[in-house]
């Protein structure tokens, strides 16, 4: 059943022609995996509004939420092949396409989000985005998914050793896998679209995601214990197919670039400001919220840095750390 659906989906993606830049109206299909009430959807709706206003409807987005056009990996592949124009995705699954994003995946590498934004939007972040061009994609901008928190159905995890033996769903990313192996957990990579059912059926004990996702995807209903680890920071990358981008006029690209930067700031704010209320909402929904000593967790996970230092590059790791001092 699942296989059959996959084939139909690919066929459906191929059957829809690329946004034609020759036409007066250019509609970019954008896939994302999250719920329509998520920060991704709100940020993309905001971008769509700006584009329509500034181009008299010449440029707009057709947003597909909840993995309607596939998983994050499928969507990234679609953008490289040109069967999909755009996607907003966590940076973690990009590890399958380029290693340059791995620096963001190191546990506790980001402690000061505002200072880190500057690094991401400056020359260092731009160089990382540029590495996507070899893969036939343009990395338009770095938005926010958020600080990831650990949830599970078994016990109130407080100390790093409490996570030992838990089966945890992760994104497909080598640094994330190594991190949870260091904790003694059993990491299980799985596409986001399969996660709620896997938690409900107890195929896995837990997962990790920002509070906004734990809330909007209702994970707290099947994972009562929500531990505020913030162990990873997940940036969200807005990608567009290279030919689609190059097919736009310089004026259109200029409007896109400015509007995307504004929508990025809007989306980051929306994500940041929502956090305090989300803790209250989750408590009301029956979640058990557990605070941790982050320094203790960071110490337990420090061996991961050594493991990936040569792959990621000492300089880039140090540069991101220094930017937050
Ligand atoms: O990019 O897969 C995940 O856990 C991500 O947080 C989600 O797809 C958003």
């Amino acid at each position: 059943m699942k296989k059959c659906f996959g084939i139909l989906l690919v066929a459906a993606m191929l059957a829809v022609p690329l946004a034609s830049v020759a036409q007066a109206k250019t509609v970019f299909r954008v896939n994302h995996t999250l719920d329509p009430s998520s920060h991704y959807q709100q940020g993309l709706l905001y971008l769509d509004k700006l584009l329509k206003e500034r181009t008299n409807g010449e440029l707009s987005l057709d947003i597909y939420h909840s993995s309607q056009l596939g998983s994050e990996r499928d969507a990234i592949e679609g953008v490289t092949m040109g069967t999909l124009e755009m996607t907003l995705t966590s940076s973690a699954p990009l590890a399958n396409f380029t290693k340059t994003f791995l620096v963001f995946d190191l546990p506790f590498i980001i402690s000061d989000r505002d200072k880190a934004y500057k690094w991401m939007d400056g020359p260092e972040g731009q160089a990382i985005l540029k590495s996507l061009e070899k893969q036939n994609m343009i990395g338009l901008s770095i938005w926010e998914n958020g600080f990831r928190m650990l949830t599970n159905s078994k016990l109130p995890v407080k100390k790093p050793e409490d996570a030992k033996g838990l089966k945890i769903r992760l994104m497909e990313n080598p640094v994330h896998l190594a991190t949870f192996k260091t904790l003694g957990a059993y990491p299980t990579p799985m596409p986001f679209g399969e996660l709620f059912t896997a938690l409900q059926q107890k195929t896995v004990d837990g997962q990790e995601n920002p509070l906004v996702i734990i809330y909007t995807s209702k994970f707290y209903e099947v994972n009562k214990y929500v531990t505020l680890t913030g162990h990873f920071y997940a940036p969200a990358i807005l990608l567009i197919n290279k030919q689609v981008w190059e097919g736009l006029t310089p004026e259109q690209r200029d409007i896109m670039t400015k509007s995307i930067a504004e929508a990025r700031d809007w989306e980051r704010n929306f994500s940041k400001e929502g956090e305090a209320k989300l803790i209250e909402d989750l408590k009301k929904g029956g979640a058990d919220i557990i605070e941790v000593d982050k320094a203790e967790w960071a110490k337990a996970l420090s061996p991961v840095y050594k493991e990936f230092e040569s792959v990621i590059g000492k300089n880039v790791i140090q540069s991101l750390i220094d930017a937050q001092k």
Side-chain angles (χ1 to χ4, degrees):
M1 180 63 192
K2 239 179 218 147
K3 258 202 187 124
C4 178
F5 177 69
I7 291 163
L8 284 176
L9 188 69
V10 170
M13 282 169 77
L14 290 172
V16 184
L18 273 180
S20 166
V21 289
Q23 286 166 4
K25 281 192 193 303
T26 301
V27 182
F28 305 108
R29 288 167 307 149
V30 194
N31 186 66
H32 73 88
T33 55
L34 302 182
D35 188 82
S37 57
S38 66
H39 50 336
Y40 280 16
Q41 179 84 6
Q42 303 313 312
L44 289 169
L45 285 169
Y46 187 77
L47 175 60
D48 179 48
K49 182 173 135 292
L50 293 182
L51 291 176
K52 280 183 184 145
E53 278 169 11
R54 292 170 184 181
T55 64
N56 288 322
E58 202 183 284
L59 299 180
S60 65
L61 305 180
D62 191 4
I63 306 163
Y64 292 83
H65 58 79
S66 312
S67 314
Q68 288 175 77
L69 298 182
S71 68
E72 293 197 321
R73 193 185 179 137
D74 294 335
I76 297 165
E77 261 160 22
V79 173
T80 66
M81 294 186 298
T83 52
L84 175 68
E85 293 82 49
M86 289 174 76
T87 190
L88 182 61
T89 174
S90 279
S91 65
L94 282 168
N96 299 300
F97 301 83
T98 166
K99 289 192 171 62
T100 52
F101 284 86
L102 288 179
V103 66
F104 294 118
D105 297 313
L106 289 166
F108 297 100
I109 184 97
I110 291 181
S111 51
D112 186 323
R113 188 188 225 173
D114 291 307
K115 287 182 181 163
Y117 289 159
K118 290 212 176 86
W119 191 88
M120 291 185 234
D121 303 339
E124 293 88 353
Q126 292 311 303
I128 291 176
L129 289 176
K130 195 120 183 84
S131 71
L132 294 167
E133 287 185 28
K134 290 197 289 291
Q135 305 280 342
N136 207 35
M137 297 182 269
I138 303 292
L140 292 168
S141 176
I142 305 181
W143 293 20
E144 175 158 288
N145 186 4
F147 284 105
R148 301 179 76 89
M149 313 297 183
L150 180 61
T151 75
N152 85 97
S153 59
K154 289 214 150 151
L155 78 166
V157 171
K158 176 135 183 100
K159 298 193 155 290
E161 53 269 30
D162 298 336
K164 205 170 175 183
L166 290 177
K167 213 167 165 191
I168 304 293
R169 176 273 175 178
L170 295 177
M171 292 190 281
E172 218 181 298
N173 179 282
V175 182
H176 289 196
L177 295 179
T179 301
F180 276 78
K181 275 191 193 141
T182 304
L183 289 172
Y186 299 113
T188 312
M190 183 190 297
F192 185 83
E194 293 169 25
L195 180 51
F196 186 87
T197 309
L199 292 169
Q200 195 174 35
Q201 297 180 344
K202 299 208 176 347
T203 318
V204 290
D205 302 316
Q207 63 87 41
E208 44 84 57
N209 252 301
L211 293 176
V212 55
I213 299 180
I214 295 168
Y215 187 71
T216 58
S217 289
K218 300 190 166 42
F219 293 154
Y220 65 97
E221 289 183 358
V222 281
N223 265 189
K224 178 180 159 67
Y225 301 109
V226 178
T227 306
L228 303 181
T229 45
H231 52 278
F232 301 136
Y233 174 83
I237 315 300
L238 187 64
L239 300 170
I240 192 165
N241 170 267
K242 195 161 179 270
Q243 283 75 43
V244 170
W245 180 249
E246 287 169 352
L248 297 172
T249 65
E251 292 75 26
Q252 287 175 323
R253 282 201 292 265
D254 190 46
I255 292 171
M256 287 274 282
T257 305
K258 288 189 180 125
S259 306
I260 287 166
E262 279 174 49
R264 170 201 67 204
D265 293 346
W266 188 94
E267 190 264 355
R268 280 175 178 166
N269 262 332
F270 179 88
S271 159
K272 213 164 60 170
E273 281 169 12
E275 267 174 14
K277 186 174 178 296
L278 279 166
I279 294 187
E280 292 316 308
D281 291 342
L282 284 165
K283 278 185 189 161
K284 275 186 212 137
D288 190 348
I289 305 284
I290 303 136
E291 310 251 8
V292 299
D293 175 357
K294 285 196 186 168
E296 181 189 20
W297 280 74
K299 192 164 172 247
L301 293 170
S302 61
V304 179
Y305 279 66
K306 273 264 158 306
E307 199 178 329
F308 286 92
E309 203 173 69
S310 59
V311 182
I312 298 172
K314 257 186 171 168
N315 291 349
V316 65
I317 298 174
Q318 201 53 48
S319 160
L320 182 50
I321 293 171
D322 289 347
Q324 298 171 74
K325 279 182 182 158

